[in-house]
Amino acid sequence: MDTTKSEACVFELAIPTAVGDFRASYSEAGLCALNFPSDKRAVKESSVRPVPRLVRRWHEITSRAVTKLLSGNSPETLPPLDLSAGTDFQQRVWRALCGIRLGQTCSYGEIAEAIGKPTATRAVGAACGANPIPLLVPCHRVLAANHRIGGFSAGLKWKRLLLAKERTFTFA
DNA sequence: CATCCAGTATATA
DNA sequence: TATATACTGGATG
């Protein structure tokens, strides 16, 4: 990737929700990461630096979007997404993911076809796993071809929870 | 159901 | 360059 080690994510802010505090990271280009509550370390507010007004505005939009999604509604607006950390292939996958509307799902194979590489199904799975912004980039709406739930980096419980919220299908 | 293999992108050595 | 891994998918036993 980038050998020069970019200083992408400069601001980290919490998004309090009924299911815990999400952690959003912003670069100067927009939202560059979104983590689930139980994910690793606790939210560390980088309040050492003053948070620019623009970032706070993005955060407000992000918070609203997350809240909406958690209540089963599609957010009208999203903050600018900074996906520059990904490779071309990954960004293509993520962009395809953004096209999945709330309530519908597709398989990894279908995503692979959508980006013109029908046989790269496994690579698509890897790209989904590398998705820095779950929820907003709906990687949880991608199921395995055999109609099973597949996997999820941040924990299958989240995938199930999100799908349940979106009433995609009831999963025992 | 359990394994195995094909095929692709990425990380690490 | 070589090897292991990943949120797969299809075939086989």
Side-chain angles (χ1 to χ4, degrees):
Chain A
M1 293 195 233
D2 204 307
T3 54
T4 57
K5 168 70 185 76
S6 67
E7 26 50 66
C9 306
V10 276
F11 299 108
E12 273 187 37
L13 295 172
I15 299 178
T17 73
V19 291
D21 288 1
F22 282 73
R23 179 161 47 87
S25 303
Y26 301 87
S27 70
E28 308 195 351
L31 179 67
C32 61
L34 183 63
N35 298 275
F36 289 96
S38 58
D39 213 1
K40 312 164 192 170
R41 62 199 190 235
V43 177
K44 63 163 191 194
E45 297 285 347
S46 53
S47 48
V48 212
R49 279 161 294 195
V51 179
R53 192 142 185 71
L54 179 58
V55 171
R56 275 202 252 156
R57 178 191 223 166
W58 288 343
H59 191 59
E60 210 174 295
I61 298 173
T62 304
S63 301
R64 204 166 55 235
V66 169
T67 302
K68 277 241 172 195
L69 282 168
L70 289 179
S71 63
N73 298 110
S74 199
E76 298 105 26
T77 55
L78 293 180
L81 305 181
D82 179 11
L83 300 178
S84 61
T87 63
D88 273 357
F89 179 81
Q90 288 171 335
Q91 292 190 35
R92 241 175 295 165
V93 170
W94 299 337
R95 226 191 57 194
L97 257 39
C98 288
I100 309 174
R101 295 191 295 281
L102 190 147
Q104 49 176 30
T105 62
C106 70
S107 69
Y108 293 95
E110 286 172 317
I111 293 294
E113 281 187 33
I115 62 174
K117 300 216 167 242
T119 56
T121 63
R122 205 164 182 183
V124 167
C128 289
N131 170 20
I133 314 179
L135 241 76
L136 271 47
V137 176
C139 56
H140 58 278
R141 294 179 195 148
V142 183
L143 307 181
N146 33 348
H147 303 115
R148 299 197 184 294
I149 188 133
F152 199 60
S153 289
L156 275 180
K157 57 180 180 182
W158 286 112
K159 190 166 183 175
R160 292 205 192 91
L161 173 68
L162 294 172
L163 290 174
K165 292 289 183 190
E166 300 183 355
R167 307 189 60 263
T168 301
F169 69 52
T170 37
F171 181 55

